[in-house]
Amino acid sequence: MNFVPLFAPFLIKKLRNCVPLHAKYSRALKRFIQFLKDWTLPVAIAVGTVSYLVFRYVPQLDAAGNALGPVFDVLFPLSVFLTLFLTFCKVDFHQMLPHRWHTGVLAVQLLLVALTVGIIFAVGSSAGQKLLWEAVLTCIIGPAASASPVVVYKLGGNISTMTTYVLISSLASALLIPLVFPLLEQTVHVAFLDAFLIILQKVSMVLLLPLVLGWFMQHYVKGLCGWIAAQSNLSFYSWAVSLSITTGITVKNIAGSNASLSLLLAIAVATFLLCFVQFGLGRFVGRHLGEEVNAGQALFQKNTALSIWVAYMYLTPVASIGAGCYVLWQNIINSMELFQYRRRMLLN
């Protein structure tokens, strides 16, 4: 006897009941993936923060944390290198020329440095106030972030002129830092040339090598370079990985700081306000001198890794908290920018 006809209606009914369930989970998965795409940077910050706190406060994970530490020490520079390499495969090297907004942004940066140095001299008798403003200064005097072309590309800006500015900014900061900080801290004895060469070496290893490799790919491995350039989000997600690691390191520095809570809060608030000041001034320069998106990112998105090094080299570890907070604030602002840009694109 053939039982298939007898069970067919039952099987069909069960299958029909499963289809909506599958569709429901499929829609939920799509929404989750879209959420990750829309809020990649805050998710990366949250992952870095939670990961560090879990390893810090769960004793059973001490061995795993000690084992993973060296892995992340290698993974971080690799992820930064990969981010820049993928971005520079898209750069039009013929457009990498000085632009008038470069001059405008550099002029504003010099004015902010001069103003902050004046404030530091004015409050020099108060150790807490001096430390606060020195932490702020590290977030002003530093060069534009090596990864800023990644965000500029996502915002529809010109990554070629942005890459040019990163190079110019790095050279300017390498000159400024060893000139300014010895004036503020007389006890630090670092020769100008030594500091200048150290800063150039730090910037060159991160920036110039992937730039040269990107140029080589464009000229001699055009097929692979074209495929990389077509993957529009690859460099962005690679950057999110490095941001997550950076966030974990930042939270570790804040948690391990011996500074008072009031000073930590003051530094956090000051760097938060500084983010908006530099962003607004950069956009203002860009509106008048061209490429508003680029100018805004150029002045506001900073190479905080170099700023942290400056704090340790010339100041105290507490001053590095300023750059640590700044990296969180600037990426929250980046997330807001990206969200608003996507929304405008959808409306148009």
Side-chain angles (χ1 to χ4, degrees):
M1 182 177 177
N2 190 356
F3 290 98
V4 173
L6 296 176
F7 286 102
F10 173 78
L11 292 172
I12 291 172
K13 183 178 179 181
K14 286 294 184 183
L15 288 172
R16 284 176 177 172
N17 290 336
C18 289
V19 170
L21 188 64
H22 172 74
K24 178 182 177 181
Y25 284 121
S26 178
R27 287 194 297 271
L29 181 61
K30 286 180 180 178
R31 285 197 297 269
F32 178 69
I33 292 173
Q34 190 59 48
F35 172 81
L36 292 179
K37 288 181 178 180
D38 291 342
W39 299 103
T40 301
L41 301 187
V43 169
I45 291 172
V47 168
T49 302
V50 172
S51 298
Y52 169 73
L53 294 176
V54 168
F55 279 98
R56 178 182 173 87
Y57 293 107
V58 179
Q60 292 81 358
L61 296 176
D62 286 348
N66 293 333
L68 288 172
V71 175
F72 285 114
D73 289 341
V74 175
L75 182 60
F76 177 67
L78 284 178
S79 63
V80 173
F81 178 89
L82 180 62
T83 298
L84 297 179
F85 166 67
L86 294 172
T87 302
F88 294 151
C89 283
K90 305 169 188 173
V91 167
D92 184 348
F93 287 88
H94 297 292
Q95 291 186 21
M96 285 187 61
L97 300 170
H99 195 283
R100 58 179 185 167
W101 69 261
H102 294 164
T103 305
V105 170
L106 278 176
V108 172
Q109 184 183 16
L110 287 173
L111 287 173
L112 289 175
V113 167
L115 177 62
T116 308
V117 169
I119 293 173
I120 291 170
F121 280 122
V123 302
S125 57
S126 171
Q129 285 292 312
K130 183 181 179 183
L131 184 56
L132 168 64
W133 286 102
E134 284 179 337
V136 169
L137 179 60
T138 63
C139 302
I140 297 173
I141 203 170
S146 302
S148 54
V150 179
V151 181
V152 164
Y153 176 76
K154 294 286 287 185
L155 293 172
N158 188 325
I159 61 172
S160 301
T161 56
M162 187 67 223
T163 302
T164 304
Y165 181 77
V166 172
L167 295 171
I168 295 171
S169 173
S170 299
L171 180 60
S173 292
L175 291 168
L176 269 178
I177 290 168
L179 283 174
V180 170
F181 282 97
L183 298 176
L184 304 176
E185 298 294 334
Q186 303 287 338
T187 58
V188 178
H189 301 290
V190 182
F192 171 85
L193 184 60
D194 290 342
F196 175 76
L197 293 176
I198 290 171
I199 294 170
L200 281 187
Q201 184 265 337
K202 285 180 174 293
V203 172
S204 299
M205 290 298 292
V206 174
L207 187 63
L208 290 183
L209 189 57
L211 185 65
V212 171
L213 189 56
W215 177 89
F216 179 85
M217 294 286 289
Q218 286 193 25
H219 286 80
Y220 300 105
V221 196
K222 295 181 180 180
L224 179 58
C225 186
W227 180 86
I228 292 173
Q231 313 307 309
S232 59
N233 292 320
L234 202 55
S235 59
F236 183 67
Y237 295 137
S238 175
W239 178 47
V241 172
S242 61
L243 173 60
S244 186
I245 298 172
T246 301
T247 302
I249 296 170
T250 298
V251 175
K252 177 184 177 182
N253 290 339
I254 293 173
S257 173
N258 57 2
S260 65
L261 180 60
S262 59
L263 180 58
L264 289 177
L265 288 174
I267 291 174
V269 171
T271 52
F272 177 76
L273 296 175
L274 177 65
C275 258
F276 284 96
V277 168
Q278 295 195 123
F279 178 76
L281 289 174
R283 287 275 180 152
F284 176 80
V285 169
R287 278 195 295 272
H288 290 81
L289 298 181
E291 298 190 2
E292 181 179 351
V293 170
N294 285 37
Q297 295 302 127
L299 188 59
F300 127 86
Q301 190 172 346
K302 293 294 185 177
N303 184 336
T304 51
L306 185 62
S307 297
I308 290 171
W309 174 84
V310 168
Y312 275 93
M313 172 71 96
Y314 290 101
L315 308 171
T316 68
V318 175
S320 69
I321 301 298
C325 292
Y326 194 93
V327 72
L328 301 179
W329 304 140
Q330 76 177 7
N331 283 296
I332 290 172
I333 294 175
N334 281 336
S335 300
M336 295 165 59
E337 282 189 283
L338 293 168
F339 174 76
Q340 292 176 349
Y341 179 77
R342 281 192 302 268
R343 189 167 64 176
R344 285 198 303 269
M345 293 298 100
L346 290 173
L347 290 176
N348 292 335

